[in-house]
Amino acid sequence: MIVARRAAMAALWLSLSCPLIAAAQAVPPPPAAPAPPARRDSTGDQGAARRIPGWPYLERGVVPTPPAAVAPGPLPPGSRYTFTRDSMPWSTAQTLSDLLATIPGVYLARGGFLGLPEYVAFAGRGAAAVQVFWDGLPLQPLGGDSLYVDLARIPLTYLRRVDVLVLPAQLSVFLVSEQHETLAPRSLVRVMSGDFRSAAYTGLFQKRWPTGLGLNLTGHFVGSDGASGPGRKDQAFDLWGKVEWLPTPTAGMSYQVRRQQADRDAVVEGKGGLAVSPRIPARHGTRTDALLRLFASSRPFDLGWRAQAGLGSSGWSGDSVVGPQSIHQAFLSLGYRDPRASLEATARIADQRTRRALEARAGWSPLPGITLAADGSLEEHPGGRHSRRAHAAAALARGPLSLVGEWAFQDAVQAPALLADTAQRTADRSLRAGFDTRPLAVHLGLVRRDAYQPLPFPDLRVIPALAPSRAATYLVAEVRIQPIAPLSLDGWYVTPRRAGPPGRGVADFQPPTHARAQLTFRSKFWRTFRSGAFDLKVQLAMESWSRGTAGLDPAGQPIELPGTTYYETQVAFQIVGFTAFWDLRDAYNARRQYVPGLDYPNNAQVFGVRWEFKN
């Protein structure tokens, strides 16, 4: 009796003094008195299934989400690369530019370690080959980057998905901001450290309510001395927030704001290259982007007839050198989507850069195995300048085999901010054959690209100009071998069929041979935990290129790009919501540089942990 009485008193005291523990264990206290039975859904919100008309998934705690503003399908096989919320944390990428470095043919002109500029060079067009859209809104360069957007300034923290459309001589990048689809709150904490006083801290919180209201908040800080000189700092602090409201599964709105304060000291030291100062200029300022988006469709899951409209603004402030800048934009999009066909037209207006634009996209699969796709745009810029683009593709697929042909035309301005920049006309085409199975996937393509005169990278002063690229036919090969489920080897190889004189490619930062390969072991083999709770990844990657050119010096002479090989190593493991990672860059101790005259450190490592909570 005494033992039973003490046990009852202890249980009563514990239930009164430790409600948080009881809640965390999901063991509710017994009711004080009998209550009439009530039907509850799995979220614990009585009657939640009636909050959003026509949406029965609330019984499982799932709410509708805004449609992703990406290029609609169907698309030819191998045309789109998709990086998701699940795949990005398991890569070595810290920024958007890091992520794009895995696309075949991309050369990432790294100004140094974390915090320094990184420009994507592709297809002999320099950074002009990249177009970036943020939830349907074109992301315009501002401040010191008025020519091109430095993609190293875009962290992956608040991105749910990244789609990359690869055209014969262009990359169209679609950024989809974070969104949450369940009523259980989601939060994330990430802490990273590394060499050269590098550190990064990330916090994310997401919450959805049965009424369709949603809240997303993110804070991200990264700092480093860049390994490019004593007494200098690079740091950036991002704040991002988005409010969503979907009263029905087919209509809603969202408003988001991103504010990044960047402070980067100038780089004045380096090995080799031009004796210019600074080699990389300082950047001190704040960029603010805001986007209001309204959307509606005739059917849920982004199918049927659909319409969306948006108002966006981008501003640069706090810079005593450049001065304040701002761009205001608006767009209206109408279209139709189903699994076999899509059609979309978008009209845009802005007060700067591209004042008016009309875009159209279409995709059609008339028969199984046949895919037709096309897109085009007309743009008007200040000074009476215009840009025209058109692209068409056709694909035939039978089982694992596919054959894709593409044609792209443009008569376009590469930097609308420069009134002296005029349109250049090019016509590019490609033919690609593919074989896709789980053990082996191979894609081989020939790409014919016209000559082009790219502008230099604005933040890489050691490269005053880029030489005109020559018309050439490129061989592009991509392969993936997976003999067993945990082990895979994938890579790509790009080379022009006629590279010109020895040591000279057909374009700057496009070496005569360029390859990347990575061997990955990833398995959930530890069965001590429940299925899917443990995950282990070990990866060794290699990037190599031959001797080429990296632009022109002030006298108009070519700057040599030495050939080299870089190795990267990654180890990461996950136990439920906890993930630990370790990345090592330039593990081979290569004494070369991505950009001549700008040092890249040897054996540069970062390591950290990531926690994700769903309660």
Side-chain angles (χ1 to χ4, degrees), residues 239-263:
L239 286 175
W240 174 80
K242 182 168 73 169
V243 178
E244 305 162 334
W245 183 48
L246 283 81
T248 74
T250 58
M253 62 172 292
S254 68
Y255 178 75
Q256 57 183 310
V257 177
R258 175 215 178 195
R259 181 179 176 87
Q260 182 186 76
Q261 181 177 350
D263 291 289

Side-chain angles (χ1 to χ4, degrees), residues 303-393:
L303 295 176
W305 294 99
R306 51 170 285 168
Q308 65 173 328
L311 294 173
S313 67
S314 300
W316 176 260
S317 60
D319 190 335
S320 59
V321 178
V322 177
Q325 297 180 355
S326 64
I327 298 176
H328 300 88
Q329 305 179 66
F331 70 89
L332 173 64
S333 178
L334 303 173
Y336 175 84
R337 296 186 185 185
D338 67 29
R340 294 184 56 186
S342 67
L343 179 64
E344 187 175 79
T346 303
R348 306 182 188 275
I349 59 173
D351 59 352
Q352 300 286 338
R353 313 293 171 81
T354 301
R355 299 213 173 143
R356 282 183 287 270
L358 182 63
E359 303 170 2
R361 291 182 178 275
W364 185 34
S365 181
L367 295 172
I370 298 178
T371 303
L372 305 174
D375 59 87
S377 66
L378 296 172
E379 300 175 350
E380 179 185 332
H381 313 291
R385 298 170 299 163
H386 295 82
S387 294
R388 299 176 297 159
R389 294 182 176 90
H391 167 248

Side-chain angles (χ1 to χ4, degrees), residues 429-495:
R429 45 212 176 270
S430 68
L431 182 64
R432 181 175 68 251
F435 176 81
D436 279 289
T437 62
R438 201 206 76 167
L440 176 65
V442 180
H443 288 265
L444 292 174
L446 291 176
V447 186
R448 178 67 182 180
R449 295 167 178 154
D450 271 357
Y452 195 79
Q453 173 59 74
L455 293 171
F457 308 118
D459 276 356
L460 304 182
R461 299 283 179 85
V462 293
I463 308 296
L466 297 180
S469 65
R470 299 195 297 275
T473 299
Y474 291 75
L475 171 66
V476 181
E478 190 175 9
V479 62
R480 178 179 176 84
I481 304 173
Q482 192 173 13
I484 56 177
L487 187 66
S488 64
L489 173 66
D490 55 279
W492 51 262
Y493 174 81
V494 177
T495 181

Side-chain angles (χ1 to χ4, degrees), residues 121-423:
F122 181 72
R125 309 287 162 87
V130 183
Q131 288 184 321
V132 183
F133 299 87
W134 174 45
D135 283 340
L137 192 75
L139 197 62
Q140 300 287 355
L142 287 174
D145 300 326
S146 293
L147 300 183
Y148 305 123
V149 176
D150 179 6
L151 303 185
R153 293 183 176 275
I154 303 178
L156 305 177
T157 306
Y158 40 81
L159 297 181
R160 172 64 181 263
R161 171 179 166 185
V162 177
D163 270 18
V164 184
L165 291 188
V166 181
L167 277 62
Q170 181 180 307
L171 301 177
S172 295
V173 183
F174 297 86
L175 308 181
V176 179
S177 59
E178 262 290 4
Q179 57 191 30
H180 193 45
E181 65 278 354
T182 62
L183 294 179
R186 176 177 179 260
S187 54
L188 184 146
V189 176
R190 183 178 184 270
V191 179
M192 188 197 77
S193 185
D195 291 333
F196 315 110
R197 300 181 181 179
S198 299
Y201 309 96
T202 302
L204 179 143
F205 174 78
Q206 296 177 290
K207 172 66 177 174
R208 293 295 299 274
W209 286 270
T211 57
L213 186 66
L215 177 66
N216 305 265
L217 298 173
T218 297
H220 175 74
F221 171 84
V222 60
S224 175
D225 67 8
S228 52
R232 61 175 308 276
K233 293 289 183 182
D234 300 321
Q235 62 182 27
F237 181 54
D238 281 74
L239 286 175
W240 174 80
K242 182 168 73 169
V243 178
E244 305 162 334
W245 183 48
L246 283 81
T248 74
T250 58
M253 62 172 292
S254 68
Y255 178 75
Q256 57 183 310
V257 177
R258 175 215 178 195
R259 181 179 176 87
Q260 182 186 76
Q261 181 177 350
D263 291 289
R264 184 186 72 207
D265 294 336
V267 176
V268 296
E269 297 182 1
K271 297 177 181 178
L274 299 179
V276 297
S277 184
R279 295 174 181 242
I280 295 178
R283 288 284 179 259
H284 301 284
T286 301
R287 173 164 182 151
T288 304
D289 296 282
L291 174 61
L292 172 65
R293 190 160 68 111
L294 310 174
F295 40 85
S297 60
S298 60
R299 295 161 54 189
F301 305 108
D302 199 25
L303 295 176
W305 294 99
R306 51 170 285 168
Q308 65 173 328
L311 294 173
S313 67
S314 300
W316 176 260
S317 60
D319 190 335
S320 59
V321 178
V322 177
Q325 297 180 355
S326 64
I327 298 176
H328 300 88
Q329 305 179 66
F331 70 89
L332 173 64
S333 178
L334 303 173
Y336 175 84
R337 296 186 185 185
D338 67 29
R340 294 184 56 186
S342 67
L343 179 64
E344 187 175 79
T346 303
R348 306 182 188 275
I349 59 173
D351 59 352
Q352 300 286 338
R353 313 293 171 81
T354 301
R355 299 213 173 143
R356 282 183 287 270
L358 182 63
E359 303 170 2
R361 291 182 178 275
W364 185 34
S365 181
L367 295 172
I370 298 178
T371 303
L372 305 174
D375 59 87
S377 66
L378 296 172
E379 300 175 350
E380 179 185 332
H381 313 291
R385 298 170 299 163
H386 295 82
S387 294
R388 299 176 297 159
R389 294 182 176 90
H391 167 248
L396 176 63
R398 285 292 183 271
L401 300 175
S402 63
L403 185 65
V404 181
E406 291 186 87
W407 171 83
F409 166 84
Q410 71 171 5
D411 185 10
V413 175
Q414 60 177 316
L418 293 181
L419 294 178
D421 186 31
T422 57

